[in-house]
């Protein structure tokens, strides 16, 4: 569509064409209404056998689906189409394919494509995590099987041969790309795949791609020629295609889509000195990530599980240094819901991973783990199952203490009591000399802790854990009006329960009173109390949102609905007494206040030690002023660049400018301070460093023209006359064998006349099909062009007579007697004209 506008509707429907796939997998153009049958039985059979033998899933999309379609930013009137196994170059003037990049069967399929502007180069991201760089070859190549184009014929792509200097009559010409560099394959996890690819806009010599686990891989395209020093800022236009290499420079860890989050134990007077706000995140890829909420950075990442992490708990307090997590994998062939559980203890400081329950998982399968709960003193933890008795474990020795009998009811919710009692002698019965010994033995004292749990009937059980034994306590009947209890939390004298019907039950143990809150929000997935003494707020997670309640006042503080306010919330926790953590289905972890709003924050709000290197964070006028000063060099007399550019800025802005100058390096500062560097070169360096795109191209044109170097293809008509004419001649040779439609032939004829290629223009007009209604007009136009093109009288007369005689003969052969006779008379061939009239019976 060539008349597209944002302000009004296009007048035409555009030019529609189809790219169809042949038997060999090559794509081409097909006209509307043409059916091309493709034999795909062998491909389907191969996929079926592969899935049966290897157990692999079929491809998500068809190999003929277009992955990306972009206008080539460096070459006018070209569109680049990417498929899983090939890349097609389509000319928008002819609406035909003029080139192809074949990936091949042995290489990994394509995922994303980026096209560069500074040079005609294409960056391809493969499923294996490698990035290949393709550059346009100089000149045109010849298709191995030349064909004659017609209006009803589909144009198929053909493998290209090495580029040579050929004439249009040697065969069908096409543009071709060659691979100049391929990066090494990136190690991806089992459930990880690549997502997107990006080029650095200013230099286009840096590449980055994103994986589903949140990691960002950075690559640099650099020259392998060590004989010449690299420029101050490496750009794609400054690199030679014969000596370049794409290498990985860094990997940036990021948040991955999560199923479970847990905040570390809250800040108290005991851990004030060593406290850090750490958030443990269990990802869908089986990794454990430890995030510093204050800085927003991932401090630790450990690959632990082979399946998504479904739950985790902190197992240490001062400091928070270890985690307990679980996941489960489906057992092949199991129809009874049995799985292979994974229970892992991880030390986030050393990275040591210890798998628990290794003996139990050796069986064919077992009921899946539904929850793990660690006691408040970090001495015990409980492992509960979906259809089996729970287990009591010793957290210090990581050994099992007791498995409940099989007849014990299956539990649906469990919580440890925050209250505990220690059995020991009173302090007044101990002599002063024994007090120090008793302090050392405090950890070895037998501590009594309490558990409350519920079964499917809603009954509440109370157990006491002391040493290696677990004792039965009280049993409270089910509360009327409550469904199956799904979660429970305990703080002070309050026990709060949530059920499958959206009810929240608050039970005061001191007054023995119970109150129900019917929210009508469906199943309650999690309830947790906020930290802090006498802080009785609870955070409630539902299937479709989040609510914050005040238990004392029995009133709702705020709520969040999904997907209205947020896409979806997988898990929640308290980050502080008035801050909550929301783990979304979109992979983001949000920190919100009691209002559950305003979860976004600017970059400078994080308490990071490393300053953010981005001059664009400054106000617009300040940013433009610094850019002008860096190029104009007003500090030449004083010699202090930092003092000059930071005058009048705030302390925060000064720190940002200093960080940017430190990042650019002393070589950049020396280059822009050098008096021998021209003004245009200085402003080009500044534009590249600060990412000023328009200014960069403006000064690049000035610098290249002063140096006498030809401009790139992206500048088109700004190039010098010889360069522009040579590129137009190459484009004309590319179009000559493909111009089938009359509009294309007329446009190409006019272009050939402007280029001074009269013979080629006349030849194209004479090749017009005689069945075409405009054939006679084209041939008469060829005669006119031939008659007016040459100034030498002798040469003009001979060429003109030869062309007109050829046209007259063609007209006579098509039955147009009088038109042919008239042209013969004009050329002086009266005798021949009379002979044709006599033969036709008109003389």
């Amino acid at each position: 569509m060539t008349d597209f506008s944002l302000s009004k509707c296009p007048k035409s429907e555009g030019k529609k064409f189809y790219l169809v796939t042949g038997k060999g997998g090559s794509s081409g153009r097909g006209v509307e209404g043409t059916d091309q049958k493709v034999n795909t039985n062998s491909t389907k059979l191969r996929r079926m056998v592969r899935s049966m033998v290897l157990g692999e899933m079929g491809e998500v999309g068809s190999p003929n689906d277009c992955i990306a379609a972009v206008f080539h930013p460096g070459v006018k009137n070209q569109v680049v189409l990417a498929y899983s196994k090939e890349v097609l170059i389509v000319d928008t003037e002819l609406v035909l394919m003029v080139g192809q990049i074949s990936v091949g069967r042995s290489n990994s399929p394509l995922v994303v494509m980026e096209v560069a502007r500074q040079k005609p180069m294409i960056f391809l991201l493969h499923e294996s995590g490698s990035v290949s760089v393709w550059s346009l070859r100089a000149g045109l190549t010849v298709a191995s099987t030349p064909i004659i184009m017609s209006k009803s014929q589909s144009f198929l792509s053909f493998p290209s041969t090495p580029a040579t200097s050929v004439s249009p009559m040697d065969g069908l010409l096409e543009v071709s790309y060659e691979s100049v560099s391929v990066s090494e394959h990136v190690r991806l996890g089992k459930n990880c795949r690549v997502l997107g690819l990006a080029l650095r806009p200013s230099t286009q010599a840096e590449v980055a791609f994103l994986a589903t686990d949140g990691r960002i891989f950075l690559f640099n395209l650099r020259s392998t020629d060590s004989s010449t020093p690299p420029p101050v800022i490496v750009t794609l236009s400054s690199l030679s295609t014969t000596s370049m290499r794409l290498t990985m420079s860094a990997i940036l860890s990021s948040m991955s889509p999560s199923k479970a989050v847990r905040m570390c134990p809250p800040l108290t007077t005991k851990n004030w000195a060593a406290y850090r706000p750490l958030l443990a995140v269990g990802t869908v890829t089986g990794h454990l990530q430890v995030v510093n909420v204050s800085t927003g950075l991932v401090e630790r990442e450990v690959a632990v599980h082979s399946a998504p992490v479904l739950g985790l708990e902190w197992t240490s307090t001062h400091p928070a240094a270890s985690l307990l997590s679980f996941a489960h994998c489906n057992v092949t062939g199991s129809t009874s819901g049995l799985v292979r559980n994974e229970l892992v203890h991880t030390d986030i400081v050393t990275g040591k991973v210890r798998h628990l329950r290794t003996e139990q998982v050796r069986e064919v399968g077992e009921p899946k783990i539904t929850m793990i709960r660690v006691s408040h003193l970090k001495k015990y933890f409980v492992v509960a199952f979906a259809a089996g008795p729970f287990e009591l474990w010793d957290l210090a020795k990581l050994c099992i203490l007791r498995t409940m009998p099989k007849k014990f009811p299956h539990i649906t919710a469990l919580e440890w009591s925050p209250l505990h009692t220690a059995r020991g002698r009173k302090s007044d019965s101990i002599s002063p000399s024994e007090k120090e010994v008793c302090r050392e033995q405090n950890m070895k004292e037998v501590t009594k802790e309490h558990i409350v749990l519920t079964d499917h009937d809603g009954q509440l059980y109370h157990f006491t854990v002391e040493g290696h034994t677990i004792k039965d306590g009280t049993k409270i009947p089910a509360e009327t009006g409550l469904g199956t209890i799904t979660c429970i939390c305990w703080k002070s004298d309050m026990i709060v329960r949530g059920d499958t019907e959206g009810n929240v039950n608050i039970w005061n143990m001191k007054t023995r009173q119970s109150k129900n809150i019917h929210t009508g929000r469906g199943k309650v997935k999690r309830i947790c109390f906020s930290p802090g003494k006498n802080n009785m707020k609870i955070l409630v997670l539902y299937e479709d949102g989040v609510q914050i309640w005040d238990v004392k006042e029995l009133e709702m503080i705020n709520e969040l609905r999904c997907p209205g306010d947020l896409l979806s919330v997988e898990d929640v926790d308290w980050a502080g007494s008035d801050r909550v953590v929301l783990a979304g289905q979109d992979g983001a972890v949000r920190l919100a206040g009691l209002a559950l709003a305003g979860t976004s924050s600017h970059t400078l709000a994080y308490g990071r030690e490393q300053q953010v290197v981005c001059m664009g964070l400054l106000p617009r006028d300040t940013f433009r002023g610094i850019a002008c000063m860096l190029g104009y060099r007003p500090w030449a007399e004083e010699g202090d660049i930092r003092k000059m550019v930071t005058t009048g800025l705030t302390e925060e802005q000064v720190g940002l400018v200093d960080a940017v100058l430190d990042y650019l390096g002393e070589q950049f500062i020396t280059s822009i301070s050098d008096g021998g560097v021209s003004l245009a070169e200085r402003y080009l360096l500044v534009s590249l460093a600060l990412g000023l795109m328009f200014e960069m191209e403006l000064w690049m044109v000035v610098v290249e023209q002063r140096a006498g170097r030809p401009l790139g293809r992206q500048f088109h008509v700004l190039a010098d006359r010889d360069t522009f004419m040579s590129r137009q001649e190459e484009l004309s040779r590319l179009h000559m064998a493909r111009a089938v439609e009359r509009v294309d032939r007329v446009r190409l004829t006019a272009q050939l006349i402007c280029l001074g290629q009269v013979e080629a223009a006349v030849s194209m007009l004479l090749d017009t099909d005689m069945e075409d209604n405009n054939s006679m007009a084209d041939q008469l136009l060829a005669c006119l062009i031939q008659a007016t093109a040459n100034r030498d009288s002798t040469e003009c007369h001979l060429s003109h007579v030869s062309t007109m005689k050829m046209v007259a003969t063609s007209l006579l052969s098509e039955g147009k007697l009088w038109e042919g006779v008239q042209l013969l008379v004009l050329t002086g061939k009266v005798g021949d004209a009379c002979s044709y009239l006599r033969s036709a019976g008109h003389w």
Side-chain angles (χ1 to χ4, degrees), residues 415-427:
E415 181 64 20
W416 288 88
S417 169
L419 308 175
H420 57 273
T421 55
R423 189 178 65 186
R425 290 182 294 174
K426 297 182 180 180
S427 58

PDB file of all heavy atoms in Angstrom, residues 415-427:
ATOM      1  N   GLU A 415       0.039 -24.703  59.788  1.00  0.00           N
ATOM      2  CA  GLU A 415       0.787 -23.529  60.212  1.00  0.00           C
ATOM      3  C   GLU A 415       1.446 -23.806  61.561  1.00  0.00           C
ATOM      4  O   GLU A 415       0.854 -24.468  62.433  1.00  0.00           O
ATOM      5  CB  GLU A 415      -0.137 -22.311  60.310  1.00  0.00           C
ATOM      6  CG  GLU A 415       0.550 -21.025  60.720  1.00  0.00           C
ATOM      7  CD  GLU A 415       1.578 -20.554  59.712  1.00  0.00           C
ATOM      8  OE1 GLU A 415       1.525 -20.991  58.526  1.00  0.00           O
ATOM      9  OE2 GLU A 415       2.453 -19.761  60.086  1.00  0.00           O
ATOM     10  N   TRP A 416       2.686 -23.300  61.739  1.00  0.00           N
ATOM     11  CA  TRP A 416       3.401 -23.392  63.011  1.00  0.00           C
ATOM     12  C   TRP A 416       3.003 -22.210  63.885  1.00  0.00           C
ATOM     13  O   TRP A 416       2.760 -21.112  63.393  1.00  0.00           O
ATOM     14  CB  TRP A 416       4.905 -23.371  62.789  1.00  0.00           C
ATOM     15  CG  TRP A 416       5.459 -24.627  62.182  1.00  0.00           C
ATOM     16  CD1 TRP A 416       5.577 -24.920  60.872  1.00  0.00           C
ATOM     17  CD2 TRP A 416       5.975 -25.751  62.900  1.00  0.00           C
ATOM     18  NE1 TRP A 416       6.128 -26.161  60.693  1.00  0.00           N
ATOM     19  CE2 TRP A 416       6.385 -26.703  61.932  1.00  0.00           C
ATOM     20  CE3 TRP A 416       6.113 -26.070  64.240  1.00  0.00           C
ATOM     21  CZ2 TRP A 416       6.942 -27.926  62.269  1.00  0.00           C
ATOM     22  CZ3 TRP A 416       6.677 -27.282  64.590  1.00  0.00           C
ATOM     23  CH2 TRP A 416       7.079 -28.202  63.624  1.00  0.00           C
ATOM     24  N   SER A 417       2.999 -22.446  65.174  1.00  0.00           N
ATOM     25  CA  SER A 417       2.665 -21.386  66.115  1.00  0.00           C
ATOM     26  C   SER A 417       3.853 -20.456  66.307  1.00  0.00           C
ATOM     27  O   SER A 417       4.998 -20.913  66.417  1.00  0.00           O
ATOM     28  CB  SER A 417       2.262 -21.986  67.461  1.00  0.00           C
ATOM     29  OG  SER A 417       2.177 -20.982  68.448  1.00  0.00           O
ATOM     30  N   PRO A 418       3.624 -19.134  66.334  1.00  0.00           N
ATOM     31  CA  PRO A 418       4.726 -18.210  66.638  1.00  0.00           C
ATOM     32  C   PRO A 418       5.121 -18.258  68.108  1.00  0.00           C
ATOM     33  O   PRO A 418       6.147 -17.696  68.494  1.00  0.00           O
ATOM     34  CB  PRO A 418       4.145 -16.848  66.258  1.00  0.00           C
ATOM     35  CG  PRO A 418       2.664 -17.009  66.414  1.00  0.00           C
ATOM     36  CD  PRO A 418       2.354 -18.429  66.058  1.00  0.00           C
ATOM     37  N   LEU A 419       4.295 -18.921  68.972  1.00  0.00           N
ATOM     38  CA  LEU A 419       4.580 -19.048  70.398  1.00  0.00           C
ATOM     39  C   LEU A 419       5.263 -20.380  70.658  1.00  0.00           C
ATOM     40  O   LEU A 419       4.898 -21.402  70.089  1.00  0.00           O
ATOM     41  CB  LEU A 419       3.291 -18.951  71.214  1.00  0.00           C
ATOM     42  CG  LEU A 419       2.407 -17.721  70.931  1.00  0.00           C
ATOM     43  CD1 LEU A 419       1.109 -17.824  71.718  1.00  0.00           C
ATOM     44  CD2 LEU A 419       3.139 -16.444  71.271  1.00  0.00           C
ATOM     45  N   HIS A 420       6.258 -20.380  71.531  1.00  0.00           N
ATOM     46  CA  HIS A 420       6.974 -21.614  71.857  1.00  0.00           C
ATOM     47  C   HIS A 420       7.458 -21.517  73.294  1.00  0.00           C
ATOM     48  O   HIS A 420       7.529 -20.435  73.887  1.00  0.00           O
ATOM     49  CB  HIS A 420       8.160 -21.815  70.920  1.00  0.00           C
ATOM     50  CG  HIS A 420       9.127 -20.661  70.924  1.00  0.00           C
ATOM     51  ND1 HIS A 420       8.956 -19.570  70.092  1.00  0.00           N
ATOM     52  CD2 HIS A 420      10.240 -20.413  71.665  1.00  0.00           C
ATOM     53  CE1 HIS A 420       9.939 -18.701  70.318  1.00  0.00           C
ATOM     54  NE2 HIS A 420      10.720 -19.186  71.260  1.00  0.00           N
ATOM     55  N   THR A 421       7.794 -22.658  73.864  1.00  0.00           N
ATOM     56  CA  THR A 421       8.284 -22.726  75.243  1.00  0.00           C
ATOM     57  C   THR A 421       9.535 -23.581  75.268  1.00  0.00           C
ATOM     58  O   THR A 421       9.641 -24.586  74.563  1.00  0.00           O
ATOM     59  CB  THR A 421       7.234 -23.333  76.179  1.00  0.00           C
ATOM     60  OG1 THR A 421       6.839 -24.619  75.661  1.00  0.00           O
ATOM     61  CG2 THR A 421       6.009 -22.443  76.273  1.00  0.00           C
ATOM     62  N   ALA A 422      10.520 -23.171  76.092  1.00  0.00           N
ATOM     63  CA  ALA A 422      11.771 -23.911  76.247  1.00  0.00           C
ATOM     64  C   ALA A 422      11.823 -24.519  77.631  1.00  0.00           C
ATOM     65  O   ALA A 422      11.531 -23.858  78.638  1.00  0.00           O
ATOM     66  CB  ALA A 422      12.968 -22.984  76.032  1.00  0.00           C
ATOM     67  N   ARG A 423      12.157 -25.801  77.698  1.00  0.00           N
ATOM     68  CA  ARG A 423      12.208 -26.508  78.971  1.00  0.00           C
ATOM     69  C   ARG A 423      13.628 -26.444  79.513  1.00  0.00           C
ATOM     70  O   ARG A 423      14.576 -26.919  78.895  1.00  0.00           O
ATOM     71  CB  ARG A 423      11.791 -27.949  78.788  1.00  0.00           C
ATOM     72  CG  ARG A 423      11.605 -28.690  80.107  1.00  0.00           C
ATOM     73  CD  ARG A 423      11.132 -30.098  79.848  1.00  0.00           C
ATOM     74  NE  ARG A 423      12.146 -30.868  79.131  1.00  0.00           N
ATOM     75  CZ  ARG A 423      11.951 -32.092  78.677  1.00  0.00           C
ATOM     76  NH1 ARG A 423      10.760 -32.675  78.828  1.00  0.00           N
ATOM     77  NH2 ARG A 423      12.919 -32.745  78.050  1.00  0.00           N
ATOM     78  N   GLY A 424      13.801 -25.837  80.715  1.00  0.00           N
ATOM     79  CA  GLY A 424      15.114 -25.723  81.349  1.00  0.00           C
ATOM     80  C   GLY A 424      14.956 -25.267  82.778  1.00  0.00           C
ATOM     81  O   GLY A 424      13.861 -24.990  83.277  1.00  0.00           O
ATOM     82  N   ARG A 425      16.086 -25.177  83.502  1.00  0.00           N
ATOM     83  CA  ARG A 425      16.036 -24.753  84.912  1.00  0.00           C
ATOM     84  C   ARG A 425      15.881 -23.245  85.013  1.00  0.00           C
ATOM     85  O   ARG A 425      16.319 -22.501  84.154  1.00  0.00           O
ATOM     86  CB  ARG A 425      17.323 -25.173  85.614  1.00  0.00           C
ATOM     87  CG  ARG A 425      17.447 -26.664  85.804  1.00  0.00           C
ATOM     88  CD  ARG A 425      18.706 -27.031  86.548  1.00  0.00           C
ATOM     89  NE  ARG A 425      19.889 -26.692  85.744  1.00  0.00           N
ATOM     90  CZ  ARG A 425      21.142 -26.809  86.204  1.00  0.00           C
ATOM     91  NH1 ARG A 425      21.348 -27.223  87.448  1.00  0.00           N
ATOM     92  NH2 ARG A 425      22.143 -26.514  85.432  1.00  0.00           N
ATOM     93  N   LYS A 426      15.240 -22.841  86.100  1.00  0.00           N
ATOM     94  CA  LYS A 426      15.059 -21.422  86.334  1.00  0.00           C
ATOM     95  C   LYS A 426      16.400 -20.761  86.627  1.00  0.00           C
ATOM     96  O   LYS A 426      17.319 -21.375  87.143  1.00  0.00           O
ATOM     97  CB  LYS A 426      14.102 -21.182  87.512  1.00  0.00           C
ATOM     98  CG  LYS A 426      12.697 -21.702  87.258  1.00  0.00           C
ATOM     99  CD  LYS A 426      11.806 -21.400  88.427  1.00  0.00           C
ATOM    100  CE  LYS A 426      10.384 -21.916  88.180  1.00  0.00           C
ATOM    101  NZ  LYS A 426       9.501 -21.625  89.322  1.00  0.00           N
ATOM    102  N   SER A 427      16.479 -19.454  86.268  1.00  0.00           N
ATOM    103  CA  SER A 427      17.755 -18.742  86.392  1.00  0.00           C
ATOM    104  C   SER A 427      18.191 -18.567  87.842  1.00  0.00           C
ATOM    105  O   SER A 427      19.373 -18.510  88.139  1.00  0.00           O
ATOM    106  CB  SER A 427      17.649 -17.373  85.715  1.00  0.00           C
ATOM    107  OG  SER A 427      16.602 -16.625  86.309  1.00  0.00           O
TER     108      SER A 427
END
